Amino acid sequence: SEKLGPYQKGSRFQLTRESAWWAFNFLANWMEINYRDMSNIVIPTMQSVQDQVDAQSAAAEDAGSAEALTAAQETIQAEVVSKWWDLSDKLVAMFTDGYLNECAGQPLPQKRDAEGCQVSAGIGYPKEWLDMIGFNFDIRPHAVRPGPVIPPQPEMV
């Protein structure tokens, strides 16, 4: 079907918004920048999208015809790709240049206090990681070396 195009197009060698694979892969790679903070947005969005897919699929199955189910699945698949690109765009704007940029839940490229927008302080690196690599404020080049204390490893669940 023509509507399934995003699931049939794409190459890992050329980013295109016409490819479902790139929608998912781009966001997964962008999250490498700051998984800790981005996952607070992506994971709830994933659950919301999954809930919508489940509801739409159940409604289509209840309709009882193959045509209704096919049409619903094509619509669902197109919506998922579109939502994932929208989420990618939002996270690129929110987590750019090492800052968290946000305006009433909507990303903006600059600070506009009158509208309740903010550009937060730099996100930076966790203190434990900086301590572990021996970070200091000496601006002269130096090799990173382990610090005297290795922080405890987080428990895996």
Side-chain angles (χ1 to χ4, degrees), residues 46-98:
M46 284 173 46
Q47 187 59 56
S48 173
V49 169
Q50 183 64 56
D51 292 346
Q52 291 169 6
V53 166
D54 292 343
Q56 290 173 302
S57 296
E61 289 174 11
D62 290 344
S65 76
E67 293 81 15
L69 187 56
T70 298
Q73 288 300 318
E74 289 175 346
T75 299
I76 289 167
Q77 292 168 4
E79 288 175 356
V80 168
V81 172
S82 176
K83 288 176 183 179
W84 229 241
W85 278 121
D86 290 347
L87 182 57
S88 294
D89 292 344
K90 176 180 178 176
L91 292 180
V92 167
M94 285 182 75
F95 292 91
T96 195
D97 294 333

Side-chain angles (χ1 to χ4, degrees), residues 91-147:
L91 292 180
V92 167
M94 285 182 75
F95 292 91
T96 195
D97 294 333
Y99 292 91
L100 175 59
N101 308 298
E102 191 173 21
C103 180
Q106 300 300 314
L108 282 180
Q110 67 235 6
K111 185 174 183 175
R112 296 183 187 173
D113 289 333
E115 297 177 22
C117 302
Q118 68 179 12
V119 175
S120 73
I123 295 169
Y125 294 99
K127 179 186 181 318
E128 295 81 10
W129 185 83
L130 293 172
D131 290 345
M132 185 177 71
I133 65 160
F135 178 81
N136 62 41
F137 291 98
D138 183 350
I139 62 170
R140 296 172 292 173
H142 65 279
V144 174
R145 56 194 168 278

